[in-house]
Amino acid sequence: MDQIVIKGGKPLNGTIPIGGAKNAALPLMAASLLSDDVLRLSNLPHLADISTMTHLLNEMGVNISMEGDAPGGHMGKVFALDASGVKETTAPYDLVRRMRASVLVLGPLVAKHGHARVSLPGGCAIGTRPVDLHLKALEALGAEIELSEGYVEAKAPKGLVGGHVLFSNVTVGGTENILMAACLAKGETTISNAAREPEVSDLAHCLVAMGAKIEGIGTDTLKVQGVERLHGADYEVIVDRIEMGSYAVAAAVTGGDVVLKGGRIDLIEAVVDVMREAGVEIEEVEDGLRVSRKNGAIKGFDVMTEPYAGFPTDMQAQMMVLASVAEGASMITETIFENRFMHVPELVRMGADINVHGRSAIVRGVQKLSGAQVMATDLRASSSLVLAGLVAEGETVINRVYHLDRGYERLEEKLAACGADIERIRE
Ligand code: EPZ
């Protein structure tokens, strides 16, 4: 397994291009199942999870052709997805267990083909992550749901019928699944307590481009008028706000000055507010976002993760690194996942002073972190170890970097281009 080796202490200076959002690209790819015409997605990031979704859709009979890099200098790939030949409506365990987002094919398959057999995703490092809310929502639209042998069997032989879906708690994937299904249901569907993440809105905008009738995009109440069919579209994936936020923390912890090319401040307002409060300078510039901390210490801060537009859980681990080298104490509370502090013991091994009490972590800033051998456990935890390595004295070796490759494209190249001493050891 590859390792990443970092010699810390170098301020980052330069420009980092921000790619398309993994968490938008995955549901957008699943949306291709809703139409018999070609859905063309541009600005797709080159990531392991995108390859996994490609493999899953191929297995179902979706023909995916890659049209190289997108015009206009986007780093991302362009995919033309043609689902007119889909025969298979099963998402097998070995693919779903590798990537939970595979469950996003469930809603489109039931809506378009009247049946689907999708493996239950099982848990992952950060929590049990059930899909009960996805299933209840589909039942509200008339799907018959059975669980057998670790698979969800969903049937709607006469098609789905519009209805009222109320999510007892906010679920990004659940909202995305039912939003896609509702587009082809008969009649009107109202989705209450819907997730408002930018990636959900990106999916909704793409569905509208495909001919769907959706109102309330960006709010917690979505109204969908079902249509007979959806046509193809050309759609550009939104920029990745979590990649943007991760590199913003990299610039801040190293005392650097970095332009995040393609960055959009409106997508990470909650993150920007906390970082500015901590003493980081963040300003909009012509082609993105400029993040710098040339002088002055980082001040401790309080963060509680919440559904959008609150502070994103996918930035919690990264902010813990910023807190670890701040002056004073910080409190970080994780309210979305029940086990998302796996990065804490690794950061403590690097000299951080962190105490976890239930869902909250008290972080007392230290003078310095020291490089160490550390282990990545999940995608965002692994990015926090990279950030810690960038600021730590000495050498940090990160194992199991396949976690990183799921969500960060060319991470070591982008950081090295800004002066980081970082390299990947291929094993
Ligand atoms: C999406 O996961 C993202 N993944 C996650 O990003 C992100 O952390 C999460 O949303 C929250 O923002 C993708 O978009 C591919 P949820 P998702 O359904 O949809 C519970 C990353 O690092 N829940 O909003 O799976 C669930 O257990 C990944 O890029 C149920 O109880 O998240 C969790 O505690 C990690 N029942 C909470 O809701 C359900 O049926 C939020 O989950 C569904 C969810």
Side-chain angles (χ1 to χ4, degrees):
M1 280 184 262
D2 291 3
Q3 292 179 320
I4 282 186
V5 180
I6 304 172
K7 290 186 182 61
K10 311 234 174 2
L12 295 184
N13 289 289
T15 297
I16 296 182
I18 304 298
K22 163 179 86 79
N23 291 350
L26 294 170
L28 287 169
M29 289 173 74
S32 67
L33 291 165
L34 290 165
S35 168
D36 290 327
D37 298 342
V38 172
L39 173 61
R40 214 149 155 278
L41 297 175
S42 58
N43 198 31
L44 278 167
H46 302 249
L47 296 170
D49 275 7
I50 301 297
S51 307
T52 305
M53 183 61 91
T54 303
H55 185 118
L56 172 63
L57 293 175
N58 280 159
E59 296 251 304
M60 287 178 179
V62 179
N63 182 13
I64 301 179
S65 58
M66 294 176 202
E67 299 171 2
D69 277 358
H74 283 303
M75 212 180 31
K77 247 184 306 215
V78 179
F79 278 17
L81 300 104
D82 175 356
S84 57
V86 165
K87 300 268 181 298
E88 180 55 68
T89 60
T90 294
Y93 173 68
D94 71 311
L95 280 174
V96 176
R97 74 179 167 77
R98 218 186 301 166
M99 184 185 67
R100 302 179 37 76
S102 310
V103 75
L104 291 171
V105 302
L106 180 62
L109 286 173
V110 178
K112 183 79 170 54
H113 298 277
H115 54 88
R117 185 168 178 273
V118 175
S119 168
L120 283 164
C124 77
I126 61 178
T128 51
R129 300 183 71 183
V131 290
D132 55 314
L133 301 176
H134 298 234
L135 304 182
K136 264 165 63 182
L138 281 170
E139 283 177 324
L141 299 195
E144 292 147 35
I145 303 282
E146 261 178 56
L147 301 184
S148 74
E149 297 161 12
Y151 278 76
V152 174
E153 310 263 354
K155 293 192 182 74
K158 298 193 185 66
L160 294 173
V161 177
H164 181 214
V165 172
L166 166 62
F167 281 116
S168 53
N169 64 280
V170 174
T171 161
V172 170
T175 303
E176 290 166 343
N177 239 332
I178 206 63
L179 176 61
M180 289 189 278
C183 291
L184 294 181
K186 293 181 193 66
E188 178 174 282
T189 296
T190 303
I191 306 171
S192 302
N193 200 23
R196 298 170 45 210
E197 273 64 8
E199 295 75 27
V200 176
S201 298
D202 209 36
L203 172 65
H205 289 305
C206 178
L207 291 167
V208 167
M210 293 167 76
K213 294 187 173 18
I214 303 171
E215 288 168 23
I217 297 176
T219 75
D220 63 2
T221 304
L222 297 169
K223 270 199 189 335
V224 186
Q225 289 297 340
V227 293
E228 278 294 306
R229 59 182 293 280
L230 292 181
H231 50 70
D234 276 9
Y235 195 78
E236 178 182 307
V237 177
I238 195 171
V239 68
D240 192 322
R241 62 193 167 103
I242 305 302
E243 185 190 20
M244 194 183 357
S246 303
Y247 288 126
V249 173
V253 288
T254 60
D257 186 346
V258 172
V259 169
L260 304 176
K261 188 164 183 290
R264 279 177 46 187
I265 209 162
D266 64 310
L267 296 177
I268 52 167
E269 282 178 339
V271 177
V272 169
D273 288 353
V274 174
M275 291 185 74
R276 280 175 171 161
E277 189 194 310
V280 182
E281 286 129 58
I282 302 179
E283 56 173 327
E284 289 189 281
V285 291
E286 200 193 322
D287 56 353
L289 224 47
R290 181 176 174 193
V291 182
S292 60
R293 184 176 61 89
K294 302 310 283 175
N295 44 31
I298 296 166
K299 295 189 284 303
F301 49 84
D302 286 356
V303 157
M304 178 178 281
T305 64
E306 289 170 314
Y308 194 85
F311 192 92
T313 174
D314 292 348
M315 278 297 300
Q316 179 257 106
Q318 300 89 315
M319 288 303 272
M320 199 170 278
V321 179
L322 192 64
S324 295
V325 294
E327 260 179 18
S330 301
M331 164 94 98
I332 295 179
T333 303
E334 172 58 57
T335 69
I336 307 292
F337 290 107
E338 66 266 30
N339 186 33
R340 205 169 195 178
F341 285 140
M342 308 275 278
H343 43 287
V344 170
E346 298 304 302
L347 294 176
V348 167
R349 293 182 60 246
M350 296 177 73
D353 178 352
I354 306 170
N355 285 293
V356 173
H357 300 273
R359 291 208 155 187
S360 291
I362 307 281
V363 186
R364 292 180 178 81
V366 293
Q367 280 301 321
K368 68 176 178 63
L369 295 177
S370 310
Q373 281 259 9
V374 289
M375 176 89 77
T377 51
D378 60 271
L379 170 55
R380 304 306 172 183
S382 44
S383 72
S384 76
L385 299 179
V386 171
L387 299 175
L390 291 173
V391 67
E393 266 179 18
E395 183 176 273
T396 297
V397 180
I398 300 169
N399 296 293
R400 297 191 180 178
V401 294
Y402 58 84
H403 289 293
L404 266 177
D405 296 335
R406 296 190 55 178
Y408 291 92
E409 178 178 352
R410 299 186 298 118
L411 172 130
E412 62 273 13
E413 276 173 52
K414 294 183 180 183
L415 289 170
C418 288
D421 183 341
I422 180 171
E423 64 170 331
R424 178 184 286 254
I425 315 284
R426 294 195 188 281
E427 295 202 331

